[in-house]
C-alpha cells in the first residue's frame, strides 16, 4: 500500500486501478525475492571481442518516483492516523514493521485471531476512506 501511495501520481487513467495496484504488489514481491537471493560476483570484462558487453542498468529511482512515493506515504500515514488506536497499532505492526500475524499479536499482547481481525478491519477502513476520496476504485 505504501508503494501504491508513493506512486499514485504515476497512475495513468488509461488502465484500471486494480491492474495498476496488482502490478505494484507483484513488483514488490519480486523485489523481496531478489533481495533474498545471494549476490554472486562475476567477472564483467569480456574474454574476447566476440562476446557481448554487459549492459548494467542504473537501479537508482528517478526523482519523480521518489517524490510520488513520498506523497503516497504521506497520504497513507494521514489515513492511518484516522483509524482507532488499536487498529492503527495492528496495521502498523503487520505492514509497517513487516511482522507476521504471530509477531504482531505478540507485540500487541493479543491473540492471533484478534490481531488478524484488527488488521482486516483496519484495511477495510483505509480502503473505504480512499474510495470515498476517489483515490481507489471501489472494485479493487
Amino acid at each position: 500500500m505504501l508503494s501504491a501511495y508513493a506512486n499514485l501520481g504515476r497512475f495513468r487513467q488509461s488502465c484500471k486501478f486494480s491492474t495498476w495496484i496488482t502490478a505494484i504488489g507483484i513488483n514488490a514481491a519480486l523485489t523481496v525475492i531478489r533481495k533474498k537471493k545471494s549476490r554472486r560476483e562475476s567477472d564483467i570484462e569480456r574474454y574476447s571481442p566476440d562476446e557481448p558487453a554487459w549492459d548494467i542498468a542504473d537501479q537508482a529511482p528517478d526523482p519523480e518516483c521518489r517524490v510520488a512515493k513520498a506523497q503516497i506515504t504521506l497520504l497513507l500515514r494521514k489515513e492511518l492516523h484516522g483509524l482507532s488506536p488499536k487498529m492503527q497499532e495492528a496495521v502498523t505492526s503487520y505492514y509497517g514493521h513487516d511482522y507476521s500475524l504471530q509477531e504482531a499479536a505478540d507485540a500487541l499482547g493479543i491473540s492471533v485471531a484478534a490481531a488478524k481481525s484488527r488488521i482486516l478491519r483496519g484495511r477495510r477502513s483505509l480502503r473505504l476512506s480512499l474510495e470515498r476520496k476517489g483515490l481507489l476504485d471501489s472494485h479493487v
Side-chain angles (χ1 to χ4, degrees):
M1 289 296 287
L2 291 176
S3 250
Y5 177 74
N7 292 296
L8 197 55
R10 296 179 66 193
F11 172 63
R12 295 183 315 249
Q13 300 294 328
S14 61
C15 64
K16 281 186 164 185
F17 188 83
S18 59
T19 304
W20 179 73
I21 203 162
T22 300
I24 290 174
I26 290 169
N27 288 332
L30 290 173
T31 299
V32 169
I33 291 170
R34 282 186 209 113
K35 284 182 180 180
K36 287 185 178 182
K37 289 183 180 178
S38 63
R39 295 183 178 168
R40 293 180 12 206
E41 292 183 26
S42 63
D43 187 2
I44 60 172
E45 294 181 25
R46 295 187 209 179
Y47 291 110
S48 72
D50 299 336
E51 291 184 36
W54 287 72
D55 185 19
I56 301 173
D58 182 11
Q59 299 296 320
D62 64 340
E64 288 178 21
C65 182
R66 287 194 308 248
V67 169
K69 187 173 184 175
Q71 289 174 339
I72 291 172
T73 301
L74 286 174
L75 175 66
L76 277 177
R77 281 186 181 158
K78 180 182 173 189
E79 295 299 320
L80 188 61
H81 288 299
L83 296 177
S84 73
K86 288 182 178 184
M87 279 194 280
Q88 187 177 346
E89 288 175 338
V91 170
T92 302
S93 293
Y94 187 70
Y95 291 105
H97 300 297
D98 202 25
Y99 287 170
S100 68
L101 278 173
Q102 183 66 55
E103 291 168 330
D106 291 344
L108 298 171
I110 59 177
S111 69
V112 173
K116 186 175 181 178
S117 175
R118 289 180 189 179
I119 292 165
L120 291 175
R121 284 186 285 133
R123 280 183 18 197
R124 186 179 309 125
S125 293
L126 287 172
R127 184 178 61 242
L128 289 173
S129 177
L130 293 173
E131 285 174 359
R132 280 193 301 269
K133 292 179 180 183
L135 299 173
L136 190 64
D137 186 7
S138 61
H139 300 293
V140 175

